[in-house]
Amino acid sequence: MAAVANFIYRNAGDITEADQHTDEEEGMFFQRVEFRLDDFRLSRQQIPAALAEMADPFGMRWSVRYSDEQRRVAVLASRQPHCLVDLLGRWHAGELPGRLVLVASNHPDHAELVGRFGVPYHHRPVTPATRATQEGGLLDLLAEAGVELVILARYMQVLSEGFIDRYPSAIINIHHSFLPAFSGGQPYLKAHARGVKLIGATAHYATAELDQGPIIEQDTARVSHRDGVTDLARIGRDLETVVLARAVRLHLSDRVLVYGHKTIVFA
Amino acid sequence: MAAVANFIYRNAGDITEADQHTDEEEGMFFQRVEFRLDDFRLSRQQIPAALAEMADPFGMRWSVRYSDEQRRVAVLASRQPHCLVDLLGRWHAGELPGRLVLVASNHPDHAELVGRFGVPYHHRPVTPATRATQEGGLLDLLAEAGVELVILARYMQVLSEGFIDRYPSAIINIHHSFLPAFSGGQPYLKAHARGVKLIGATAHYATAELDQGPIIEQDTARVSHRDGVTDLARIGRDLETVVLARAVRLHLSDRVLVYGHKTIVFA
Amino acid sequence: MAAVANFIYRNAGDITEADQHTDEEEGMFFQRVEFRLDDFRLSRQQIPAALAEMADPFGMRWSVRYSDEQRRVAVLASRQPHCLVDLLGRWHAGELPGRLVLVASNHPDHAELVGRFGVPYHHRPVTPATRATQEGGLLDLLAEAGVELVILARYMQVLSEGFIDRYPSAIINIHHSFLPAFSGGQPYLKAHARGVKLIGATAHYATAELDQGPIIEQDTARVSHRDGVTDLARIGRDLETVVLARAVRLHLSDRVLVYGHKTIVFA
Amino acid sequence: MAAVANFIYRNAGDITEADQHTDEEEGMFFQRVEFRLDDFRLSRQQIPAALAEMADPFGMRWSVRYSDEQRRVAVLASRQPHCLVDLLGRWHAGELPGRLVLVASNHPDHAELVGRFGVPYHHRPVTPATRATQEGGLLDLLAEAGVELVILARYMQVLSEGFIDRYPSAIINIHHSFLPAFSGGQPYLKAHARGVKLIGATAHYATAELDQGPIIEQDTARVSHRDGVTDLARIGRDLETVVLARAVRLHLSDRVLVYGHKTIVFA
C-alpha cells in the first residue's frame, strides 16, 4: 500500500479513490486505486514499465486501465425483452460506461426495437443440432466487433465451455434466483413450489459450471402466498434488470476483482 | 365467503379483519376471519356446533380460537443466546401473545439469565448415546407443562421424527440461511465459501425432513467480501432474532395456515 | 361483507380475490372484490342497478370496472428520460395494463425515441409567461385522446390547481425523495446536505398542494458518504422507475382506494 | 496516504484495514487505518510524538486508539424497554465492544431487569421544575463513572445544550423516524396521519438542535394501510433496536468520523 501510494505521489498523480482488502486466510492483499493523470510525470507509454519496476519486488499482480477508453460490449438475448430493453434505455440515457456495439439473439423478435436505438441486431437461430455452428458464428461476430464484455440478458441457451473460455471473467449472466438456491432451469416454478417468502436475482460471471460462477451482485424482493408463478416472474423482472445493470456498471467501472470463484467488489 | 359472513352477521358478530386466498391450481379457498363477540348471540359453548352446521354443507374445514386464551409456549436453546434473549425481552415487554412457560437447553449456560426473567430453566444435557432418553424427558416436560408451541431458538440438536410428530405445525425452527440455499450445518461457512452478497434467515415449521418444513418468514441482509465468517454470523444474528420473532408472533396470532408443505400467511 | 358476497354468490359469480379493511377510528369499512362473470346471471347493463339495490340500504359507495376495458393513459415528461423509457419498455413487453395513447413534453428530446415505440409525441414548450396557455393546450390534448390517467414521469413543471382538479385521483406523480422528507425542489441536493444514509422515491396522486397528495408507493435504497449528489441521482433513478411503475400498475389494476389524503392499497 | 502507509511500514506495523474518502467539494481527505502492533518498533508511549512528526507537515488532524482499551458506556432510558433490553442482551452475548458501566432512567421500571444483568441502575426522576438539577446529577454520575459514550435508548427527555456540549459526538440518540421526516414528537402518529408506506429509524449524534445531529445509521420497513399507530410502533421497535445497535457498534469500533453536520462511516 505504501509502495503504490508513494509511486503515485512521487509522479504527481492525484488519488481520488482507494480501496483495500486483506484476505487473512489466504494471506492476500487487494487494492484498487483511482487517480488523476492531469499533472502526471509519466506518459501512458511509460506507465506500464514504471509500474512493473515498483510492483515486481513485492510480487504484485497489477493491471491499469484508463477511464476514457470505453470498452466494447455485446448483449445476447432470447425471447424475454426486459433486461435488453433496460440496458438499451440506460445506454441511451448515458447511465452506463462502455459502448454497446451489437445485440445478438436466437430469436428475431427484438430486431426492430434494437434497430430503433441504432444498434446492430444479429439474429442467430439455434437448434440442438446447430449449436456448435451457431456458437462459432457468434464467436466470430464478437471477435470482429472487438467485444470485451458479453452480457447474457436472459439468454436462455447454455454456452459451451469453449465459448466461455474465450471470455474469462468477461461474460456476465443474470440468473433469476438467489443463487445457490434454485440453480438450473425454471427457478420461479421451483421457488413457488417451495413456498419461499422472498425471491432473488443473481448476476455472476459465467464459468464452465452452470450457475456456479463468481457472484457480482444479488438482491431479493418480498413475495407471498398470493403470488403465483407468473407474479413471481413479474416481480422478479424488476430484480433481474436492476441487479444485472448494477453488475454491468461495476464491471465496466473496474470495481470487480475475481479471486478464485468469488469476487471482491470495490463499490 | 358469503356463508361465513352471513353466519357472523346473523349472530351480531363484528368482523374486524378478514382475509381470503384462492389456490386456483388446487381449487381450494382459504379464509381467516377475526370478529368481536361483544354482542354475539351464541356462547362459546354453542359456537362449535353452530359453525359445523353452517360449514358442513360446503365441506369446509374450520377451527376457532379465542384471542383471550393464551397459548403455552416452550423455548429450546443450545449455547447461542441471541434468539433466546430476544424472545425473553419481547415477552418481558409484552410484545408477544402467548405465555412462555419453560426454557430447556442441552447446556447449563442460560440458567441464571432465564431465571432472572422468572421462567423455569431445565438443563437437559445430551450425547449421541443418550439422545432417545433425553428426547423422552423433553417430551414429558412439554406434556406436563401443557405446551402448545415449541420454539427452537438455535437449538442445535436434530429432533427425531417421533418428537416432531407429536407437535405437527407447532414446532418453529430458525435456520440461519435463506432456505433452500445452505440447508444443513454451517450455513455461514458455506455462504462465505460461495461468495454470496446477501445472507438470510428462515423461520419454518419443523418436519421430519431436515430444513424442508413449510416456510413462515424469511429475510436477507447485505454483506460484502469484507465480511468473514464471523461477520456473517454477527450480521445474521440480527436477522435470525427478528425473523424468528415475527414467525412466532404470526403463529400465536393464528395468521399462519399450513397447506401441504407451504404456508399461507395472513399478515 | 355478507351482503356483497351474497350478491355475487346468488348471481353465480366466482370470487377470485377479496380484500377488506376497517378503519376503526373513522368507522369505515372498505372492500375490493374481484369476480369472474363467466356464468354471471346479470348482463353488464343490468349490473349497476342490481348493485345499487343491494348497496343502498347499507349506505355503501361503490364502483365497478371490467378488467377487459383498458384505460387510456398519457405520460408527461421533461428532459430526464429514465421513467419514460422504463414505462415504454414495460408497455412494449406487455407488463402494464391500460393503453398508452400519448406522450407530451415541454422538451423536444424524446420525440424520436417515443416515435420508435409507435406512440404519438407532442412537444409543448412552456415559459413562465405561456404556462396557462400551454396547460390549456395539454388539457385539450388529453380530452381529445380520452385520457383517464396522467403519469408525471419526472415532469418538472408545476401544474395549476385547475389542471389537477380535472383529474382527481388520476394524476400520478413520482417524487424523488422519501416524502415527507425533502419535499419541493432538488431533493438529492438536500439529502446530500443532510447526510442521510438512505434515499427514497414516492409515487403519489397529485393534488393542489405540492408533494402533499395521497401516497401510493414508496421505497428506499442505501447510500453512503461516498455518494455525491450525482451518485444519489443515479441510485435514485432505479428507485424512481420501479416505484412509479408499481404505482401505475396498482392504479390500473384498481387496487388503490383514495380515502381522505391517504390511500388503501389492496396489493 | 503515502505518508501514513510509509510510517506504518517503516515501523513494521501490519495494516489490516484501510479506508479513504475524499470530499472533493471541501478539498478534504479522510482516512482510517487499522494495523497490528505485534512487531511494531514504537511503544504506545512513543506513538503520539512519532505520528505528530509524520502528520504535521501535511496539516493532518489525527487520533489513535487501541482496540484493547474498552470505552466506558452509559445508557439512558425512559419507560420503553426494547432498546435497553436489546443492548443488555448484546453486551451479555459479547456482541458489542466497550463496557456498559451504568444505566440511568427517569423511571424506576427497569431497576430489577438491569440489576439482573449486574449493571448499576440509577433512578433519576425529573419534572419540568427539576430538570436542571436532575441533569446536573446525571452529569456528575457520568463523570464519576468515567463515561465516554452516552446512549439515549428512547430517553424521552430533551437534554439541555449544556449537557450535550459536555459530550461532543459522544451521545448517540435513536429517533423513531426516517429523519428528516417526522422530527420532533410522536413520529408514528405523524407517519400514520401522512399515510406513508415505509417507516424508519435514525441513529444520530445528539446536538443542541433537536433531531438535527449527524446521522450515523438509518433503516426503513414496509407498512400498509392496515397498520394503525400501535402497529407502526411495534414494527418500528425492531428497526429502532437494530439501527441503534449498529450505530453503537460502529462508534465503539471507531468507524464513524464526524465532519460538519454529517458523518463518514467506514463500515
Side-chain angles (χ1 to χ4, degrees):
Chain A
M1 189 174 142
V4 172
N6 283 338
F7 171 82
I8 296 166
Y9 180 69
R10 249 182 6 241
N11 288 297
D14 186 10
I15 294 180
T16 53
E17 250 186 84
D19 278 285
Q20 295 83 23
H21 174 62
T22 307
D23 184 323
E24 308 221 4
E25 290 158 37
E26 308 282 336
M28 289 280 282
F29 178 76
F30 302 87
Q31 187 168 214
R32 177 188 184 275
V33 183
E34 203 175 304
F35 57 101
R36 291 230 183 80
L37 297 180
D38 303 2
D39 304 310
F40 209 58
R41 298 209 176 112
L42 305 174
S43 70
R44 293 193 187 189
Q45 285 69 34
Q46 296 170 306
I47 286 175
L51 265 174
E53 196 190 326
M54 175 275 294
D56 284 355
F58 298 94
M60 287 185 210
R61 292 179 50 197
W62 58 271
S63 70
V64 66
R65 199 181 285 277
Y66 302 97
S67 59
D68 56 3
E69 297 180 0
Q70 298 254 312
R71 243 156 311 165
R72 299 170 70 80
V73 183
V75 174
L76 303 194
S78 289
R79 196 157 263 152
Q80 291 208 52
H82 56 282
C83 285
L84 172 61
V85 172
D86 179 74
L87 290 169
L88 288 166
R90 286 175 196 270
W91 262 298
H92 176 82
E95 274 183 45
L96 284 175
R99 204 179 130 209
L100 179 60
V101 295
L102 70 88
V103 173
S105 174
N106 54 326
H107 290 284
D109 312 35
H110 316 301
E112 202 190 328
L113 177 73
V114 174
R116 288 171 192 164
F117 281 90
V119 176
Y121 187 81
H122 302 267
H123 174 213
R124 299 290 169 115
V126 65
T127 65
T130 65
R131 198 184 120 186
T133 324
Q134 189 245 19
E135 275 202 358
L138 281 180
L139 281 173
D140 290 348
L141 193 63
L142 299 175
E144 281 160 29
V147 165
E148 298 163 276
L149 173 69
V150 179
I151 302 172
L152 306 180
R154 297 298 308 275
Y155 185 66
M156 305 306 281
Q157 301 297 314
V158 175
L159 295 171
S160 71
E161 197 167 334
F163 189 107
I164 286 164
D165 285 350
R166 294 276 288 274
Y167 290 91
S169 301
I171 303 176
I172 297 178
N173 184 44
I174 180 75
H175 185 77
H176 39 316
S177 85
F178 177 74
L179 287 175
F182 311 126
S183 59
Q186 303 210 284
Y188 292 129
L189 196 69
K190 292 171 183 165
H192 188 254
R194 182 62 185 91
V196 291
K197 302 302 182 190
L198 297 169
I199 56 168
T202 304
H204 64 93
Y205 289 113
T207 58
E209 291 165 279
L210 193 67
D211 300 332
Q212 300 293 313
I215 294 170
I216 306 168
E217 172 67 346
Q218 301 186 289
D219 215 338
T220 54
R222 192 154 279 270
V223 297
S224 84
H225 61 270
R226 293 176 177 239
D227 298 308
V229 177
T230 52
D231 298 300
L232 300 190
R234 171 180 53 77
I235 295 165
R237 282 194 292 267
D238 281 354
L239 279 179
E240 296 162 29
T241 54
V242 169
V243 168
L244 178 58
R246 279 191 216 140
V248 168
R249 192 176 171 279
L250 289 166
H251 178 95
L252 290 173
S253 315
D254 290 294
R255 295 179 178 278
V256 189
L257 292 187
V258 176
Y259 173 53
H261 51 288
K262 295 164 66 170
T263 63
I264 291 163
V265 178
F266 289 129
Chain B
M1 190 174 142
V4 171
N6 283 337
F7 172 81
I8 296 166
Y9 179 68
R10 253 189 357 246
N11 289 298
D14 186 11
I15 294 179
T16 52
E17 251 188 83
D19 277 285
Q20 295 83 23
H21 174 61
T22 306
D23 184 323
E24 308 222 4
E25 290 158 35
E26 307 282 336
M28 288 281 279
F29 178 75
F30 302 87
Q31 186 168 214
R32 177 188 184 275
V33 184
E34 201 174 307
F35 57 101
R36 290 229 183 82
L37 296 180
D38 303 2
D39 305 310
F40 208 58
R41 299 211 176 110
L42 304 175
S43 70
R44 292 193 188 190
Q45 285 70 33
Q46 295 170 306
I47 286 174
L51 266 174
E53 195 189 327
M54 175 275 294
D56 285 355
F58 297 94
M60 287 185 210
R61 291 179 51 195
W62 58 271
S63 69
V64 65
R65 200 181 283 276
Y66 302 97
S67 59
D68 57 4
E69 297 180 0
Q70 297 253 316
R71 243 157 311 166
R72 298 171 70 80
V73 184
V75 174
L76 303 194
S78 289
R79 195 157 265 150
Q80 291 207 52
H82 55 284
C83 285
L84 172 61
V85 172
D86 179 73
L87 290 169
L88 288 168
R90 285 175 197 271
W91 261 297
H92 176 81
E95 274 185 46
L96 283 175
R99 204 180 129 209
L100 179 60
V101 295
L102 70 88
V103 173
S105 173
N106 54 326
H107 289 285
D109 313 36
H110 316 302
E112 201 190 328
L113 178 72
V114 174
R116 288 172 193 162
F117 280 89
V119 176
Y121 186 81
H122 302 267
H123 175 214
R124 300 288 169 116
V126 65
T127 65
T130 64
R131 199 185 119 186
T133 323
Q134 189 245 19
E135 274 202 358
L138 282 179
L139 281 173
D140 290 346
L141 193 64
L142 300 174
E144 280 160 29
V147 165
E148 299 165 274
L149 173 68
V150 179
I151 302 172
L152 306 180
R154 296 298 309 277
Y155 185 65
M156 305 306 280
Q157 300 297 314
V158 175
L159 294 172
S160 71
E161 197 167 334
F163 189 107
I164 286 164
D165 285 351
R166 293 275 288 273
Y167 290 92
S169 300
I171 303 175
I172 298 178
N173 183 44
I174 180 75
H175 186 78
H176 40 314
S177 85
F178 177 73
L179 287 175
F182 312 125
S183 58
Q186 303 210 284
Y188 293 129
L189 196 69
K190 292 170 183 166
H192 187 255
R194 181 64 186 89
V196 291
K197 302 302 183 190
L198 298 171
I199 56 167
T202 304
H204 64 92
Y205 289 113
T207 59
E209 292 165 280
L210 194 66
D211 299 333
Q212 299 294 312
I215 294 170
I216 306 167
E217 173 66 348
Q218 301 186 288
D219 216 338
T220 53
R222 191 154 280 271
V223 297
S224 84
H225 62 270
R226 293 178 175 236
D227 298 307
V229 177
T230 52
D231 298 301
L232 300 191
R234 171 180 53 77
I235 295 166
R237 280 194 293 265
D238 280 354
L239 280 178
E240 296 163 28
T241 54
V242 169
V243 168
L244 178 59
R246 278 191 217 142
V248 167
R249 192 177 170 277
L250 289 166
H251 178 94
L252 290 173
S253 316
D254 291 294
R255 294 181 178 278
V256 188
L257 292 187
V258 176
Y259 173 53
H261 51 288
K262 295 164 65 171
T263 63
I264 292 164
V265 178
F266 289 130
Chain C
M1 190 174 143
V4 171
N6 283 339
F7 171 82
I8 296 166
Y9 179 70
R10 248 181 9 239
N11 288 298
D14 187 11
I15 293 178
T16 52
E17 252 188 81
D19 278 285
Q20 295 83 24
H21 175 61
T22 306
D23 185 322
E24 308 222 6
E25 289 157 38
E26 307 283 335
M28 288 282 279
F29 177 76
F30 302 87
Q31 185 167 218
R32 177 188 183 275
V33 184
E34 201 173 307
F35 57 102
R36 290 227 185 82
L37 296 180
D38 302 2
D39 304 310
F40 208 60
R41 298 210 175 109
L42 304 175
S43 70
R44 294 194 186 188
Q45 286 68 34
Q46 294 170 306
I47 286 174
L51 266 175
E53 197 189 326
M54 176 276 295
D56 285 355
F58 297 93
M60 288 186 209
R61 293 179 50 195
W62 58 270
S63 68
V64 65
R65 200 180 285 274
Y66 303 97
S67 60
D68 57 4
E69 297 180 358
Q70 298 254 313
R71 242 154 311 166
R72 300 171 70 80
V73 183
V75 174
L76 303 195
S78 289
R79 197 157 263 151
Q80 291 209 52
H82 55 283
C83 285
L84 172 62
V85 172
D86 178 74
L87 290 169
L88 288 167
R90 286 174 196 270
W91 260 298
H92 175 83
E95 273 184 45
L96 282 175
R99 208 180 126 209
L100 180 59
V101 295
L102 71 88
V103 173
S105 174
N106 53 325
H107 289 285
D109 312 37
H110 316 302
E112 202 188 329
L113 177 74
V114 173
R116 289 171 190 163
F117 282 89
V119 176
Y121 187 82
H122 301 267
H123 174 213
R124 299 291 169 114
V126 64
T127 64
T130 64
R131 198 183 119 187
T133 323
Q134 189 247 19
E135 275 203 357
L138 281 179
L139 281 173
D140 290 347
L141 193 63
L142 299 174
E144 280 159 29
V147 165
E148 298 162 275
L149 173 68
V150 179
I151 302 172
L152 306 180
R154 300 295 312 274
Y155 185 65
M156 304 306 281
Q157 300 297 314
V158 175
L159 295 171
S160 71
E161 196 168 336
F163 190 107
I164 286 165
D165 286 349
R166 293 277 286 273
Y167 290 92
S169 300
I171 302 175
I172 297 179
N173 184 43
I174 181 74
H175 186 78
H176 39 317
S177 85
F178 177 74
L179 287 175
F182 311 125
S183 59
Q186 305 210 283
Y188 293 129
L189 196 69
K190 292 172 184 166
H192 187 256
R194 182 63 185 89
V196 290
K197 301 303 182 188
L198 298 170
I199 56 167
T202 303
H204 65 93
Y205 289 113
T207 58
E209 290 164 281
L210 193 66
D211 299 331
Q212 300 293 314
I215 294 170
I216 305 168
E217 173 66 347
Q218 301 186 290
D219 216 339
T220 53
R222 193 155 278 272
V223 296
S224 83
H225 62 269
R226 293 178 177 238
D227 298 307
V229 176
T230 53
D231 298 300
L232 300 190
R234 171 180 54 77
I235 295 166
R237 281 194 293 265
D238 281 354
L239 279 179
E240 296 162 29
T241 55
V242 169
V243 167
L244 178 59
R246 278 192 216 141
V248 168
R249 193 179 168 277
L250 289 166
H251 177 95
L252 290 172
S253 315
D254 291 296
R255 295 180 178 279
V256 189
L257 292 187
V258 176
Y259 173 53
H261 52 288
K262 296 164 65 170
T263 63
I264 292 165
V265 178
F266 289 129
Chain D
M1 189 173 143
V4 171
N6 284 338
F7 171 81
I8 296 167
Y9 179 70
R10 250 185 4 244
N11 289 297
D14 186 10
I15 293 179
T16 53
E17 252 187 85
D19 278 284
Q20 296 83 23
H21 174 62
T22 307
D23 184 322
E24 308 222 5
E25 289 157 37
E26 307 283 335
M28 289 281 279
F29 178 76
F30 302 87
Q31 187 168 215
R32 176 188 183 275
V33 184
E34 200 174 307
F35 56 100
R36 291 229 183 82
L37 297 180
D38 303 2
D39 304 310
F40 208 59
R41 299 212 175 109
L42 305 174
S43 70
R44 293 194 187 189
Q45 285 67 35
Q46 294 171 306
I47 286 175
L51 266 174
E53 196 189 328
M54 176 275 295
D56 284 357
F58 297 94
M60 287 187 212
R61 292 179 49 195
W62 57 271
S63 69
V64 66
R65 199 181 284 274
Y66 303 97
S67 59
D68 56 3
E69 297 179 358
Q70 297 255 315
R71 243 156 310 166
R72 301 171 68 80
V73 183
V75 174
L76 303 194
S78 289
R79 196 158 264 151
Q80 291 208 53
H82 55 284
C83 285
L84 172 61
V85 172
D86 179 74
L87 290 169
L88 288 167
R90 285 174 197 271
W91 260 297
H92 175 82
E95 275 184 43
L96 282 176
R99 205 179 128 210
L100 180 59
V101 295
L102 70 89
V103 173
S105 174
N106 53 326
H107 290 284
D109 312 37
H110 315 303
E112 201 188 330
L113 178 73
V114 174
R116 289 171 191 164
F117 282 89
V119 176
Y121 187 82
H122 302 267
H123 175 212
R124 299 290 169 115
V126 64
T127 63
T130 65
R131 199 184 117 187
T133 324
Q134 189 246 20
E135 275 202 357
L138 282 179
L139 281 173
D140 290 346
L141 193 63
L142 300 174
E144 281 158 30
V147 165
E148 297 164 276
L149 173 67
V150 179
I151 303 172
L152 306 180
R154 298 297 310 275
Y155 185 65
M156 304 307 281
Q157 301 297 316
V158 175
L159 295 171
S160 71
E161 197 167 336
F163 189 106
I164 287 164
D165 285 351
R166 294 276 285 274
Y167 290 91
S169 300
I171 302 175
I172 298 179
N173 183 44
I174 180 73
H175 186 78
H176 40 315
S177 85
F178 177 73
L179 286 174
F182 311 125
S183 58
Q186 305 210 285
Y188 293 129
L189 195 70
K190 291 172 184 164
H192 187 255
R194 182 64 186 87
V196 291
K197 302 302 183 189
L198 298 170
I199 56 168
T202 303
H204 64 94
Y205 289 113
T207 57
E209 290 164 280
L210 193 66
D211 300 332
Q212 300 294 314
I215 294 171
I216 306 168
E217 172 66 347
Q218 301 186 288
D219 216 338
T220 53
R222 192 156 279 272
V223 296
S224 83
H225 61 270
R226 293 177 177 239
D227 299 308
V229 176
T230 53
D231 298 300
L232 300 190
R234 172 179 54 77
I235 296 166
R237 281 193 293 264
D238 280 355
L239 280 178
E240 295 162 30
T241 54
V242 169
V243 168
L244 178 58
R246 280 192 214 138
V248 167
R249 194 177 168 278
L250 289 166
H251 178 94
L252 290 173
S253 315
D254 291 294
R255 294 180 178 279
V256 189
L257 292 187
V258 176
Y259 173 52
H261 51 288
K262 295 164 65 170
T263 62
I264 292 164
V265 178
F266 289 128

